[in-house]
Amino acid sequence: MSDQIQFIVEKLNQEPFRKNYNLITFDSLESTQLLQLLNDVLGEIDPKHAVDIREELPEQTAKRMLSLLGILKYKPPGSISDLCAFRQGLVTGSKPVIHPVLHWLLQRTNELKKRAYLARFLVKLEVPAEFLQDDTVADINKQYEELMEAFKNLHKECEQLKTSGLSTAEIRRDIIAMEEEKDQLIKRVERLKKRVETVQNHQRMLEIARQLRLEKEREESLAQQKQEQKNQLFHAEQRLQRAQLQLKEMHHAVVDSKPESLMKKLEEEINFNSYLVTEKIPRELETKKNSTYFLQKVVVEPAMSQSDLNVLETKINEVNAQINQLIEKRMMKYEPIDSKFSMYRQQASIISRKKEAKAEELQAAKEEMSSTERQMLQKTSQAHELEGSEVLRGDEFKHYVNKLRSKNTFYKKKRLEIAEITAEYGILQRTEELLKQRHEAIQQQLQAIEDKKGISGYSYTQEELERVSAVKGEMDEMKGRTLDNISEMVKKLNAMVAEKKASLAPVIKELRQLRQKCQELTQECDEKKIQYDSCAAGLESNRSTLEQEVKGLLEECVQEESNYRYINCMKRNLEIQLQRAKEEMKAYVSPDPQERRKAVREQYTRIILEQENLGKKLREKQKVVRESHGPNMKQMKMWQDFEQLMECKRECFLKQQNQTAIGQVIQEGGKDRLVL
């Protein structure tokens, strides 16, 4: 209940109510204030109910609120017997009645607004049958129903258009995008045409390309048809398999059955169905009819006041007292025969209740069995669609599950091994990348140090020396030369290194001079670049100001041109009007009456006179019709009564003729009998 009140307070503090309540102030509201608050919420849903309840009687307020709640399909909590209490609580402003109504209304305000709006046009006015005998009233009622149906269709179309997600802005954007794509495609086609026109036999090639495209489209359509045929064949095979499976199950069911068991089963079903048809369903139907009758009776009854409720309570108490007295008298007149009958009746009622309970259990079991069979057929069809084989059962299914488990464990084991190998491979690959990066970084540092010291290429030479020494070692191992040869080779290599160093020394000196010159040129280039940037910025600012001025002048020129065109148009209009005025003046002052009749003034004057004369005639006619309306209506009523009277006389005359004819026939029959 606290959550309900908190929800109501939160909704009332929001738009469009803005009540600024808290739990304490809302709980301390009086009955009239609570009723006014409920009326405000109903007025937000339907503006016709936005009134002050102090200006109307409590019965009128309750009747108006109940009618709107009935239109909104509000169901009061509790049973049918609690409706009187609900109405009384609505009249008195009871909190246990008003709070659930407010909670229900505030939960679905937008939906109820729509329902109230539709109710203004779709709640049908009940016209009594005696009024519908009049043709005019019947025609108007028929038009009213047709308009109601048209409103329903239009409202459905409007809701569909709202929910379709299409808007005019999106459609315009799509149209603009498609037009742009169309222009691009047209330009592309023109470019391709120009490019193709230079090729020899381009018409024949275009024709061949068109035929190729048509053949490809035909091939795609044939492939699609082939796929559709395959799908149809697959579905037909599935239906055949399901039918064969059902046939097999029916064969299995029929093999073990006997005529006696089938007859017994059919007899049980017949007994159960006959019990349902003869006892259970009529009893339920009777209870439903009674509840419907009481509900209709409650709906038809007007709103009850407190005095009516008090009278009903007194009547109920009197009837209960009479029932108690009758029960006491019956107990005082205790007879054994009645006791036996009561015992038998009690046993019969117990048996009937048990029978009803078992019938309901049997019905529920049958429904559950049918739903289970439907699920089984659905699962079987799904399994056939997925696998295309029959469903395994019993030991085959257990064997299949064990096989799947063994495969699953083997798969998990291999998957773990693959994961370990993959992780180790990733670690080794990362280690290799790190070592390569470190090697490259060391090589770059070594090259930078060599460049800085002016001995670039030393590491390469050293590597060559190492390679040569390695080759030398291999040669020493392979050929077994002596130490003298090794020392001589080392001396030669040292001499070669010295020669390389001596040859590189002047190059290194020249490189140092060039580096110094490069630094000077770089510094000079930076200074020139700074000067260029400053000059370019100034020129860019001047260019932007000039562009702004040119743009303003162009806009001013366009404005002046539009003014010039506007003035020219106004001048032409004035010249035309002046020419028409001159022609009008000429026709007006002309001595010729024919020319004078062509003047606009004369034409309008003539039209005004005609309309005034027509208005006078219509007013006179209206006066005559108004004076003769009453006598004419009276005369029409008299003629209708006269017509009814004559019709009644005609019917009486015809009835009298029929009676006389029957009497003559009877008399003639009697005479014939006498003659015989």
Side-chain angles (χ1 to χ4, degrees), residues 210-226:
R210 191 179 296 109
Q211 291 178 2
L212 178 63
R213 179 174 57 79
L214 292 173
E215 291 297 328
K216 283 186 178 179
E217 290 178 356
R218 185 181 174 190
E219 183 182 359
E220 289 178 358
S221 64
L222 290 173
Q224 188 175 1
Q225 291 178 4
K226 184 179 178 182

Side-chain angles (χ1 to χ4, degrees), residues 32-65:
T32 55
Q33 294 175 346
L34 202 59
L35 276 174
Q36 184 62 47
L37 183 61
L38 176 60
N39 191 78
D40 294 340
V41 176
L42 294 174
E44 180 63 27
I45 293 170
D46 190 356
K48 292 192 298 183
H49 294 264
V51 296
D52 192 353
I53 62 172
R54 293 174 294 181
E55 297 177 357
E56 58 183 2
L57 296 174
E59 289 80 6
Q60 295 177 355
T61 305
K63 187 176 181 180
R64 178 170 53 79
M65 290 182 178

Side-chain angles (χ1 to χ4, degrees), residues 72 107 216 238-239 257 322 361 390 543 620 649:
L72 299 178
Q107 270 184 334
K216 283 186 178 179
Q238 286 182 348
R239 288 197 297 271
S257 61
Q322 291 177 4
E361 289 178 2
E390 294 184 357
R543 187 179 67 81
E620 291 175 358
K649 286 183 176 181

Side-chain angles (χ1 to χ4, degrees), residues 586-616:
K586 184 178 177 181
Y588 184 68
V589 299
S590 177
D592 189 4
Q594 296 296 329
E595 291 290 333
R596 194 180 297 170
R597 286 178 66 85
K598 293 180 181 179
V600 178
R601 181 176 179 181
E602 293 293 333
Q603 293 178 4
Y604 279 117
T605 304
R606 188 166 59 254
I607 292 169
I608 289 167
L609 289 174
E610 291 176 357
Q611 294 296 323
E612 286 179 353
N613 293 328
L614 182 62
K616 287 179 181 178

